[in-house]
Amino acid sequence: GLNKGITQKVTTASATAIHNWVGFCNPTVQTDNADNVALMEALVALNDAKAAATLTKRTANVGTGVFQYDETTHESLWSAYSTAKSNAEAYEFTSYSTSSEVNALATALTTAITNYQSQSLNAPDAEKRYYVSIVEDGKEWNGNAITFIAGGRSDMGKYGVKYLASANANLNQALKFTVVDGEVNTYKVSAISAENGSEQYLTTGSTYAGGNNDQIRTTDDASKAMWIKIEPTSTDNQFQLRNMSANKIIANNNNNDMYTANSANFTIAEANQASVDITIDSELKYITRIFPFAPSLPDGVVAYSCAATDGNTLTLEDATPEANKPYILFAEKGYTGDALTGWGTGAATTVTE
């Protein structure tokens, strides 16, 4: 008789299918004939595909923006799914049915489901950076952007990663997304190092001795960067971040630390470079400035640090400006050129030195 395993699966999956099969089958034909078994397997596959065809068309995060589903591709994939589902549901099982035609319907529907579910998002521009801000109503860190805090730890990369403040060009919040080859909507995420301008990548604590996959830490080694998958939600411009090492959603550790626990949505917006005006009056000749990035000063402008004070007298030393430290700028003839710009690396909303 018909293979017992197949019989049980078809009976469970579709009583009508097995009934029709037995009803039309010629009693003189052995039901364990290879063609008949293949047909029954195809019917099971088609029934499974139909059972999985429960997709709802997306209405949010579809468009031309970064991390959205491309609208044209989305419509094409939905059309293919709708057609495949309609064809599968309209199919009538008869004594002339063949495994090839049934398999074709099952394959078309299964493929359409997979293609729709795995559509790639519009990729971020490799030359741009983005603010990623947490959405957690009722929490004091609601609306704050992921911020790299230089010196925020004494171990595990020595950067803290917090929801410090709302998006601010002066802070180290401008994140770069680097595509992970071969993965869908999955990236390595980094910010600029405050020390030397290199990239600092998000990684898990398991990169370091004694750490685990739920912890969010940093590393300057791109090969050890964690993989983060961007998952759009049903609300426009709100996403979840999946820690692929832990296969869990990232949120916080019941405080403003970035951590793989709880659950939260995030908004993503293009970041801006910080801009610092260094206009110097030709009569005054001096100004004080703090740069949230390591600047390259224009010709005619020099920087000094204050080595000591004695009443109203300052002892100045020549300096090469670093990020997030105060300096005195001097220009003998003044300066009226463009402001200086760069990606912010600030670790605090105020600087005291």
Side-chain angles (χ1 to χ4, degrees):
L2 192 63
N3 175 276
K4 184 178 180 180
I6 297 174
T7 303
Q8 290 177 337
K9 188 166 185 181
V10 174
T11 302
T12 301
S14 173
T16 301
I18 189 67
H19 175 77
N20 289 344
W21 166 258
V22 173
F24 86 78
C25 189
N26 188 321
T28 63
V29 178
Q30 294 294 315
T31 55
D32 59 359
N33 173 277
D35 289 341
N36 295 336
V37 172
L39 177 56
M40 294 309 295
E41 290 176 335
L43 287 169
V44 171
L46 178 59
N47 191 75
D48 288 347
K50 289 164 66 177
T54 58
L55 303 184
T56 300
K57 188 176 183 181
R58 305 181 189 103
T59 57
N61 294 306
V62 176
T64 58
V66 65
F67 299 115
Q68 288 188 318
Y69 295 104
D70 175 73
E71 188 170 10
T72 300
T73 303
H74 178 262
E75 289 301 317
S76 177
L77 292 174
W78 180 257
S79 177
Y81 164 73
S82 299
T83 299
K85 181 179 180 181
S86 177
N87 290 342
E89 291 176 341
Y91 179 72
E92 294 185 2
F93 182 79
T94 73
S95 59
Y96 298 102
S97 294
T98 65
S99 61
S100 61
E101 67 183 15
V102 176
N103 273 325
L105 290 168
T107 299
L109 182 52
T110 300
T111 300
I113 292 171
T114 299
N115 288 346
Y116 186 78
Q117 291 178 323
S118 61
Q119 181 183 351
S120 294
L121 302 174
N122 295 329
D125 190 319
E127 301 303 317
K128 294 181 179 180
R129 292 177 182 265
Y130 301 87
Y131 300 127
V132 181
S133 303
I134 194 167
V135 179
E136 208 169 1
D137 293 339
K139 302 296 185 180
E140 63 184 65
W141 52 83
N142 179 48
N144 289 356
I146 296 171
T147 311
F148 282 51
I149 311 294
R153 299 187 61 84
S154 61
D155 61 356
M156 294 186 175
K158 299 187 177 181
Y159 273 73
V161 187
K162 294 180 176 291
Y163 309 113
L164 180 68
S166 58
N168 183 328
N170 294 321
L171 297 177
N172 201 346
Q173 299 174 332
L175 306 185
K176 180 178 181 179
F177 287 77
T178 302
V179 174
V180 176
D181 291 338
E183 300 295 324
V184 177
N185 305 328
T186 304
Y187 303 87
K188 296 179 180 181
V189 179
S190 61
I192 290 179
S193 166
E195 293 83 10
N196 56 27
S198 63
E199 295 294 324
Q200 282 285 331
Y201 294 86
L202 293 180
T203 189
T204 64
S206 59
T207 296
Y208 301 96
N212 63 64
N213 280 334
D214 289 343
Q215 297 167 327
I216 307 297
R217 302 292 185 253
T218 64
T219 177
D220 57 7
D221 186 345
S223 69
K224 295 180 180 178
M226 67 188 296
W227 294 3
I228 295 178
K229 187 172 186 178
I230 307 298
E231 299 182 353
T233 70
S234 58
T235 302
D236 271 328
N237 194 34
Q238 289 196 17
F239 309 84
Q240 291 193 319
L241 310 182
R242 182 173 295 277
N243 173 344
M244 297 302 289
S245 296
N247 195 25
K248 293 190 291 188
I249 298 301
I250 294 170
N252 59 70
N253 200 21
N254 297 315
N255 53 29
N256 71 341
D257 287 333
M258 189 179 184
Y259 196 85
T260 312
N262 302 311
S263 181
N265 292 353
F266 293 82
T267 62
I268 302 177
E270 184 176 337
N272 303 309
Q273 288 193 327
S275 177
V276 179
D277 175 61
I278 59 167
T279 300
I280 301 174
D281 185 274
S282 59
E283 293 185 6
L284 296 178
K285 302 182 189 299
Y286 292 93
I287 59 172
T288 58
R289 288 293 184 270
I290 298 175
F291 297 93
F293 50 85
S296 295
L297 297 179
D299 291 341
V301 178
V302 295
Y304 298 100
S305 60
C306 182
T309 62
D310 183 8
N312 292 329
T313 302
L314 306 180
T315 301
L316 303 182
E317 292 181 342
D318 290 340
T320 299
E322 299 176 8
N324 307 309
K325 294 183 178 181
Y327 294 95
I328 296 170
L329 303 186
F330 171 77
E332 177 64 37
K333 298 180 180 180
Y335 179 79
T336 58
D338 294 335
L340 304 187
T341 59
W343 294 113
T345 61
T349 54
T350 59
V351 178
T352 302
E353 182 167 321

